[in-house]
Amino acid sequence: MSTTLTPPGKTAPGSSWLSDLVRAAAIPAGCAVVLIGLLVAWVATGGAGTLHRVRLQVSQASIPARGYTAASAAAVPSAGLYLTIRNLTGQPDQLTAVSSPAAGRIELTERQAVGGPRTVVRQLTVPAHGTLRLTPFGDDVILENPVPYET
């Protein structure tokens, strides 16, 4: 039978699992405290930006029919999506994307004049306390190769 002797002032292996656990957790816990302190300082100095509550109201939305028959609908490669969006806040906002199951690709477009050529844009502005009207005569959303409405 063999026995292991431990030096004076030392504990036998496995007898102090709590102190081993505290030592193992000290570095990750210290890193977490430092990281949280840095994030709080970043937010306090304004580095994180400012969040604004957004209140929009879509009061009308429609997709006009592309054709009366499947053949006439297939001849039209795009369809307009027309919306009226009201911004109920004092901050201007941007419409940056639209998604719909009716089309795989959707573009935001604007026109400088009624009936003028469309220009694809990344965003459309919804003015503070104002309205963005997407119509066939001005800014609008174009559904590229929309799914057929007819079955």
Side-chain angles (χ1 to χ4, degrees):
M1 174 175 196
S2 70
T3 60
T4 305
L5 298 174
T6 57
K10 299 274 184 167
T11 58
S15 64
S16 180
W17 63 270
L18 185 58
S19 65
D20 291 342
L21 179 64
V22 169
R23 276 196 309 260
I27 291 175
C31 290
V33 168
V34 169
L35 180 60
I36 290 170
L38 290 171
L39 288 172
V40 167
W42 182 51
V43 170
T45 60
T50 305
L51 295 177
H52 297 282
R53 184 180 177 127
V54 176
R55 290 187 59 219
L56 297 175
Q57 177 183 37
V58 177
S59 56
Q60 178 184 13
S62 63
I63 302 173
R66 295 182 304 139
Y68 295 106
T69 66
S72 65
V76 179
S78 64
L81 172 66
Y82 309 117
L83 300 169
T84 300
I85 302 172
R86 290 182 43 212
N87 183 349
L88 305 175
T89 67
Q91 297 287 333
D93 206 348
Q94 303 295 323
L95 175 65
T96 58
V98 175
S99 64
S100 170
R105 185 168 151 229
I106 300 175
E107 295 180 331
L108 301 174
T109 66
E110 68 180 5
R111 296 180 193 210
Q112 298 303 319
V114 174
R118 289 185 178 125
T119 303
V120 176
V121 295
R122 290 182 170 220
Q123 62 191 19
L124 295 169
T125 300
V126 185
H129 297 293
T131 302
L132 172 64
R133 287 185 179 83
L134 304 175
T135 70
F137 307 110
D139 300 341
D140 59 359
V141 175
I142 302 297
L143 306 173
E144 295 292 335
N145 298 316
V147 296
Y149 302 122
E150 302 82 9
T151 56

